[in-house]
Amino acid sequence: MTQSEASELLTLDELTTRIGMSVRNVRFYTSKGLVPPPVRRGRSGYYGTDHVARLELVQELQGHGFTLAAIEKYVAAIPADATPEDIALHRTMLAPWQADQPDEMTLSELERRAGRTLAEDDLATLSALGIVVRNRRGRYEVSLPQLSVGLGLLDLGFPTEAAVAAAGVYAEHGRALARELNELFRTMVWPVYKEAGTSPERIQEVVERLKPLSIASLVTAYETAMDDLKRERIAERARRADPDPDDGPHDGQVPREAS
C-alpha cells in the first residue's frame, strides 16, 4: 500500500457512512470473500479505496437484481489485483443503457394509465415486449414512452407467442452483442484510458456519451439488414418463379408475333 493510499484509509464507521451500507452487511460481505478483510493497524481495522470500489460494485449488482450466488460468481471472476479503477469499469458497464428509467406502478395504477383493464394475456404480451415487467414486490416496472406502442399492438391482436419468441431472439443476440462490445471496450478502449491515468468518472462520461451512438448504430444496422433481407427474398422469388405465358411478354422477351 502506498503512502497516499494509507492516508485515505477509513474506519468502519466512515466506510459505512460513505457507501450507505450497514456494518452488518460490510462484515457479511467480507465473510463471503466479496471484499478483502480490513487492513490492520494495531488492533484496529481500516478500509481503503479497494474496499469502497468492491462494495459499490456489490451494491450495483444488487440493484440489477443479482442473487448472492450470482454476485459471488461475478466478483470471483475479477482478478484479486484489480485496481479500484478496474472495478469502477465493471460498474460503468453495468449501468443502464437507456436514459429513461421505468416507472413503478401497481396494477390498478397501470390500468388507469392504460385506460383499460389488462388481462393476464395482455400483461404477458406487454412483458414479453419489455414494456411492463412485474418485479419482486408484485408491482410493475413500466416503460411509459413505449406503453402506447404496446397498447396499440394489443388492439391489433399481436399474438403473445410471437412476442415471447421475439423476446428470446432479442435476448440471445443481445447477450452475444453485449459480450463482444464489452470485450472490445476492455481490450481496445480501457487500456488506453488506464495508461493515461484517466479517472473512473471520466470513463463513465465516455461510456455515457457512447450509449446513444451505440443504440442509434444498432437501429441503423437492424434497418439496413431488414432492407437487405427483403431485397434478397424478392430476388430469390423472382429466380424461382416460372414465366406464365398468359401474362404476356416479360422484360427481355420478344413476342412470338414479332420474332
Side-chain angles (χ1 to χ4, degrees):
M1 179 176 293
T2 66
Q3 184 175 358
S4 174
E5 289 173 331
S7 66
E8 296 178 1
L9 289 177
L10 306 170
T11 65
L12 181 56
D13 286 341
E14 290 171 335
L15 174 70
T16 56
T17 299
R18 176 167 173 174
I19 63 176
M21 184 180 290
S22 69
V23 170
R24 179 182 179 182
N25 282 347
V26 170
R27 288 175 172 163
F28 175 75
Y29 293 135
T30 301
S31 70
K32 288 291 184 180
L34 298 178
V35 292
V39 178
R40 289 294 171 184
R41 292 289 185 269
R43 299 178 61 182
S44 300
Y46 293 89
Y47 300 83
T49 53
D50 182 56
H51 296 91
V52 172
R54 288 179 179 272
L55 286 170
E56 287 178 338
L57 175 61
V58 169
Q59 289 177 315
E60 188 77 36
L61 291 166
Q62 284 181 321
H64 285 272
F66 280 56
T67 63
L68 178 60
I71 293 174
E72 290 177 326
K73 184 176 180 180
Y74 187 100
V75 173
I78 299 176
D81 59 353
T83 66
E85 290 75 20
D86 293 329
I87 298 168
L89 173 63
H90 285 271
R91 288 186 57 219
T92 296
M93 298 306 291
L94 282 167
W97 278 67
Q98 291 288 358
D100 296 325
Q101 295 299 305
D103 286 61
E104 186 177 87
M105 301 180 181
T106 63
L107 178 57
S108 60
E109 290 170 339
L110 172 58
E111 289 180 332
R112 282 198 298 271
R113 187 64 181 250
R116 67 178 75 183
T117 299
L118 296 171
E120 286 299 322
D121 285 348
D122 296 333
L123 293 171
T125 300
L126 293 174
S127 177
L129 293 169
I131 298 171
V132 174
V133 179
R134 189 171 185 175
N135 60 28
R136 295 178 179 178
R137 295 184 294 277
R139 297 165 67 88
Y140 293 87
E141 304 287 342
V142 183
S143 174
L144 291 179
Q146 301 300 325
L147 181 58
S148 61
V149 177
L151 295 174
L153 287 172
L154 293 180
D155 291 337
L156 293 171
F158 192 76
T160 303
E161 295 80 5
V164 172
V169 172
Y170 299 146
E172 177 185 355
H173 294 282
R175 282 191 293 268
L177 182 63
R179 284 194 295 267
E180 293 182 27
L181 288 177
N182 187 71
E183 184 66 11
L184 184 151
F185 194 94
R186 186 184 68 82
T187 58
M188 300 182 67
V189 178
W190 171 238
V192 174
Y193 285 107
K194 183 177 181 180
E195 184 177 352
T198 306
S199 68
E201 291 75 20
R202 187 71 170 178
I203 296 172
Q204 175 72 37
E205 183 180 352
V206 170
V207 173
E208 290 297 331
R209 288 177 181 270
L210 279 173
K211 287 178 182 179
L213 292 176
S214 298
I215 294 169
S217 297
L218 287 172
V219 172
T220 300
Y222 171 76
E223 291 174 341
T224 301
M226 288 296 289
D227 288 340
D228 290 344
L229 180 60
K230 284 188 291 185
R231 283 193 291 269
E232 290 170 5
R233 288 182 172 176
I234 291 172
E236 179 63 25
R237 285 198 298 268
R239 284 193 296 268
R240 290 184 300 181
D242 293 326
D244 187 346
D246 294 334
D247 288 341
H250 297 271
D251 291 342
Q253 293 182 321
V254 180
R256 290 182 179 181
E257 294 78 5
S259 60

